[in-house]
Amino acid sequence: MAVSAEVKEYQMLIDGKLVPSSSGETFEICNPATNEVIGRVAKATREDVDRAVRAARRAFDEGPWGRMTPNERAKRLRRVAEIIRERQEELSRIETINSGKIIVESRADVANSANCFEYYANLTGQIWGETIPMNGPLFDYTVREPYGVCGQIVPWNFPILMAAWKIAPALAAGNTVVLKPASYTPITALLLGRICLEAGIPEGVVNIITGPGNEIGAALCEHPLVDKIAFTGETETGREILRLSAGTIKKVSLELGGKSPNIVFPDADLEEAVNGSLFAIFSNAGQRCTARTRLFLHRSIHDRFLADFVDKAGRIRLGDPLDDQTQMGPLVSPRQCQRVLHYVERAKSEGAVLRLGGKKPEAPALQRGNFVEPTVFDQVTQQMTIAREEVFGPVLSVIPFESEDEVVQLANDTIYGLGATIWTKDIKRAHRLASRIRAGNISINYPVINPPEAPFGGYKQSGIGRELSRHVLDLYTQVKNVVVGLSEEPFDWYGRWPAGR
Ligand code: NAD
């Protein structure tokens, strides 16, 4: 597989400078398609976190960023989008080499990252407050102000896109940021930091630090000069983030895991539903929080739907993720690969019926990478581990159902509530289910999508807060109320009492 790249050193971005770790230590990053080392990245210390946070603090408290007009901020965010587009191919290749994502998906992620910066550039001038009618001679208004320094921690499954989702709205609202990418996939976030600088965003406004989550991610959550934490990752890590942030009462927003249902009724366009369901589980090799991992098939169509689905899933082309023809790449790491195969064994031992995959592919060219075949389990029940826990790989659980009430109950029987898809031509049923399913993102006759215009986030243990759209600006601003006395009578509370008593 011709994917080896020269081993490069990547430094962090702190206060507008590219810097090594204060300890001089680095860690290796690999290509998931071959497990070859492709780079060395600075391994930050707590001291580096402190340096980055203080730089962001200074940039917020004293720097030009907060004093810029919305138009001036917008111009710079738009420039970020332009530079990303100019470097689309280079960034996409790096994303693929570092994450294993197929090149077609990397190109989409890079394009969507540019769109995200452009979208929030257009909103800098629309972060406004309210005037509030008062019961008295008072004038009352609110303003939305940035929190200040935002600590942002992102996962490895959409490296540049998650960084863009975090940085763009935070900056649009006038905050400064310290972002920590996942240790497997830090390169494109580091490059995005440099692009921000090149686009004229002042030094110290965007800082990117790299290193182990349980050390430097934790240090970021505990730092007293950080005002807000925005985290995307596993639900278990989210719990830890909440604990770590409690000491300083940080504002915390969380985008966490999912176990999203995908429900097919007999009256759906079944061919479209098969094709959409394939995308909903196997895109990004199943490593998406919104993956529709539980396929609920009405019993009357179960056999023929599944036969078609398994046939098509079995023809998904695994291969070199840099090849335009490849349809599924490797998982991010050997560890993730083992985790997924462990879930496969568990499912078998708990009685699920394996219909496809369940192992690493046999092709000699794929042996060095973290590939797992598209995997389909049938006759899964709610009690099985595979129906309850997030696998985060190309593994689908198929669960038959009989009635609408039953499928609603099954779909909601999870600690998660991120997404759900409903395939039916019955418009009343579609909207009934959209209302009854407890999840933040419902798609009807469409697999799964998260454009910047639409809010995104989870019910239940899938998160706190909504990213994207205008809603995310609520996570990056706080409301200040201002009241003005209008009465011609001077205010004199103690003068109400007669003198001398
Ligand atoms: P993870 O929770 O292991 O790591 C996420 C980030 O947190 C990484 O940068 C990691 O270094 C850091 N981290 C780990 N421990 C930490 C700690 N104790 N304190 C502070 N930071 C810490 O998740 P992952 O394996 O990188 O990503 C996969 C998970 O992300 C899945 O559960 C997936 O569902 C979730 N995800 C959710 C969304 C969403 O928007 N809801 C989007 C993408 C991924």
Side-chain angles (χ1 to χ4, degrees):
M1 204 170 296
V3 280
S4 55
E6 59 180 299
V7 176
K8 283 195 179 160
E9 292 266 340
Y10 293 90
Q11 298 193 315
M12 298 184 284
L13 179 66
I14 297 181
D15 210 8
K17 317 275 177 310
L18 294 178
V19 295
S21 160
S22 57
S23 69
E25 279 189 68
T26 59
F27 61 95
E28 290 178 343
I29 45 171
C30 295
N31 177 344
T34 61
N35 285 307
E36 282 173 313
V37 174
I38 52 163
R40 285 198 186 79
V41 179
K43 185 176 175 197
T45 59
R46 280 192 171 251
E47 194 185 322
D48 296 321
V49 176
D50 187 58
R51 251 196 313 163
V53 170
R54 285 180 193 281
R57 188 82 254 165
R58 267 195 313 280
F60 183 78
D61 292 339
E62 301 157 30
W65 188 240
R67 290 193 293 274
M68 279 186 194
T69 63
N71 268 349
E72 287 170 331
R73 280 206 306 274
K75 216 172 4 175
R76 286 161 176 80
L77 293 177
R78 245 176 238 121
R79 183 70 195 125
V80 174
E82 277 168 21
I83 300 176
I84 293 175
R85 287 183 184 131
E86 285 160 18
R87 302 203 190 145
Q88 157 94 25
E89 201 49 30
E90 173 203 343
L91 288 167
S92 304
R93 284 181 66 83
I94 293 173
E95 190 78 321
T96 285
I97 292 171
N98 188 195
S99 71
K101 195 179 274 282
I102 58 171
I103 189 72
V104 179
E105 290 179 4
S106 291
R107 286 191 191 116
D109 287 2
V110 172
N112 287 330
S113 301
N115 293 346
C116 182
F117 273 90
E118 193 165 55
Y119 179 83
Y120 288 104
N122 291 337
L123 289 185
T124 55
Q126 296 189 42
I127 302 172
W128 49 55
E130 316 150 285
T131 57
I132 299 178
M134 301 299 282
N135 289 305
L138 295 168
F139 172 56
D140 193 282
Y141 65 93
T142 63
V143 280
R144 297 207 74 103
E145 295 188 337
Y147 276 116
V149 177
C150 300
Q152 305 182 315
I153 302 174
V154 292
W156 44 258
N157 58 342
F158 290 87
I160 192 168
L161 189 61
M162 290 295 118
W165 282 19
K166 292 278 184 282
I167 295 174
L171 296 193
N175 298 280
T176 60
V177 308
V178 179
L179 179 127
K180 192 204 92 63
S183 296
Y184 289 130
T185 56
I187 307 180
T188 46
L190 287 165
L191 297 179
L192 182 59
R194 295 187 207 177
I195 288 172
C196 289
L197 203 59
E198 195 183 323
I201 293 169
E203 295 179 353
V205 172
V206 176
N207 304 275
I208 314 285
I209 55 171
T210 46
N214 56 2
E215 282 171 47
I216 66 156
L220 204 50
C221 296
E222 289 172 334
H223 202 294
L225 297 182
V226 172
D227 299 289
K228 183 212 156 58
I229 291 287
F231 169 78
T232 298
E234 284 192 24
T235 294
E236 199 45 51
T237 319
R239 280 192 196 99
E240 181 62 10
I241 301 276
L242 281 177
R243 276 193 288 272
L244 292 165
S245 306
T248 42
I249 313 288
K250 287 196 176 38
K251 315 299 178 265
V252 179
S253 51
L254 302 173
E255 293 291 349
L256 307 174
K259 195 76 204 172
S260 300
N262 182 26
I263 304 169
V264 186
F265 287 96
D267 65 351
D269 177 331
L270 294 184
E271 191 181 350
E272 191 183 19
V274 166
N275 294 336
S277 303
L278 288 164
F279 177 85
I281 178 64
F282 296 128
S283 54
N284 208 27
Q287 302 166 112
R288 57 192 306 162
C289 52
T290 51
R292 301 326 198 218
T293 49
R294 293 182 297 150
L295 174 61
F296 291 98
L297 293 180
H298 192 270
R299 275 196 197 281
S300 65
I301 52 153
H302 171 276
D303 293 357
R304 81 190 140 109
F305 188 98
L306 196 54
D308 192 16
F309 185 92
V310 165
D311 175 52
K312 286 183 169 161
R315 285 190 275 129
I316 291 176
R317 282 190 300 278
L318 273 70
D320 178 352
L322 280 175
D323 183 341
D324 271 355
Q325 297 306 312
T326 297
Q327 295 175 316
M328 202 169 106
L331 304 184
V332 75
S333 65
R335 185 164 164 246
Q336 190 64 16
C337 194
Q338 278 155 19
R339 175 186 151 124
V340 169
L341 293 173
H342 168 78
Y343 274 111
V344 167
E345 290 313 311
R346 185 110 187 230
K348 285 190 211 162
S349 72
E350 290 180 10
V353 178
L354 182 65
R355 289 287 303 266
L356 183 73
K359 57 181 175 38
K360 291 171 71 61
E362 276 148 26
L366 306 183
Q367 292 314 303
R368 287 190 302 155
N370 313 314
F371 293 89
V372 173
E373 290 179 349
T375 298
V376 179
F377 278 105
D378 191 17
Q379 305 302 328
V380 174
T381 64
Q382 284 301 109
Q383 291 69 40
M384 292 180 189
T385 311
I386 202 162
R388 310 200 76 80
E389 295 185 13
E390 192 181 37
V391 175
F392 229 60
V395 180
L396 179 69
S397 298
V398 179
I399 306 173
F401 73 93
E402 305 268 1
S403 73
E404 191 176 310
D405 283 345
E406 180 195 9
V407 80
V408 167
Q409 188 274 323
L410 292 170
N412 284 335
D413 181 18
T414 164
I415 61 165
Y416 298 111
L418 196 52
T421 298
I422 303 152
W423 301 92
T424 177
K425 284 190 188 142
D426 179 339
I427 191 168
K428 291 185 181 178
R429 172 150 65 197
H431 290 288
R432 267 198 313 271
L433 259 82
S435 146
R436 294 178 72 190
I437 291 177
R438 300 203 5 96
N441 305 269
I442 309 281
S443 48
I444 298 170
N445 296 333
Y446 199 80
V448 44
I449 188 176
N450 310 108
E453 302 82 23
F456 174 70
Y459 278 35
K460 301 193 268 182
Q461 295 186 37
S462 286
I464 300 177
R466 290 294 173 271
E467 293 209 300
L468 300 181
S469 74
R470 300 184 61 89
H471 287 271
V472 74
L473 296 173
D474 293 344
L475 300 181
Y476 286 109
T477 55
Q478 50 194 336
V479 174
K480 178 179 278 179
N481 189 75
V482 182
V483 67
V484 186
L486 298 180
S487 172
E488 286 181 19
E489 296 290 315
F491 183 89
D492 182 13
W493 177 258
Y494 294 100
R496 288 157 43 124
W497 285 279
R501 292 184 61 191

